[in-house]
Amino acid sequence: MTAATSPGPRAGRSRRPSTATESLLAVALGLEACLVFFVTLTVYGLRVLEPVTTFVGGGVLLIALIVATRLVRYRWGVMIGWALQVILIATGFLVPLMFVIGAGFAGIWIFCFLKGRQLDRAKAQFIAQHTQPGAS
């Protein structure tokens, strides 16, 4: 068998489709990870902290955001996302403009959370209406 025709390691397992909420929250966290990369460089350039502290702290926050993009499928993962919003806003103590930027990204997170739940409810309602016996 060639690589193109051989079954993958997950052959036979169906994958659970992600919800709109999961997708939107993952996008928001991914954007925040990009932001943290540039904020880390800014903190280093402004010499707000020692270089090691800057890059270790920025790296830990960056990795936490990336990992959280995979965890938003769980309720506790969404709670981690909320905590990361607070941490992102708290970076304003290092670079004051981050209070505004962090609040803006927290606003994006809140919008994604609310809109995702609204879309998931609408999808569930649509499926319920169109899968009932006798429905045309």
Side-chain angles (χ1 to χ4, degrees):
M1 288 179 142
T2 64
T5 59
S6 65
R10 293 185 175 224
R13 277 181 52 179
S14 63
R15 188 172 173 201
R16 181 185 73 82
S18 62
T19 64
T21 303
E22 293 169 15
S23 298
L24 290 172
L25 293 180
V27 168
L29 289 169
L31 290 172
E32 290 173 0
C34 293
L35 171 71
V36 166
F37 172 76
F38 290 111
V39 168
T40 301
L41 294 177
T42 302
V43 169
Y44 171 73
L46 294 174
R47 303 189 196 294
V48 175
L49 298 172
E50 293 295 320
V52 173
T53 306
T54 300
F55 289 112
V56 169
V60 167
L61 184 54
L62 180 68
I63 290 169
L65 287 162
I66 292 170
V67 168
T69 63
R70 301 296 293 172
L71 299 177
V72 292
R73 69 182 340 169
Y74 308 106
R75 178 170 284 191
W76 54 269
V78 175
M79 299 309 274
I80 290 172
W82 285 104
L84 288 170
Q85 301 312 304
V86 172
I87 293 169
L88 188 65
I89 293 169
T91 60
F93 290 110
L94 299 173
V95 179
L97 186 57
M98 281 304 296
F99 284 124
V100 176
I101 296 171
F105 273 87
I108 292 170
W109 169 267
I110 292 167
F111 174 80
C112 290
F113 180 77
L114 296 174
K115 183 55 78 173
R117 289 175 53 120
Q118 179 186 16
L119 291 170
D120 291 337
R121 280 192 304 271
K123 180 181 177 183
Q125 183 181 17
F126 178 84
I127 290 171
Q129 289 175 348
H130 291 86
T131 58
Q132 294 174 350
S136 40

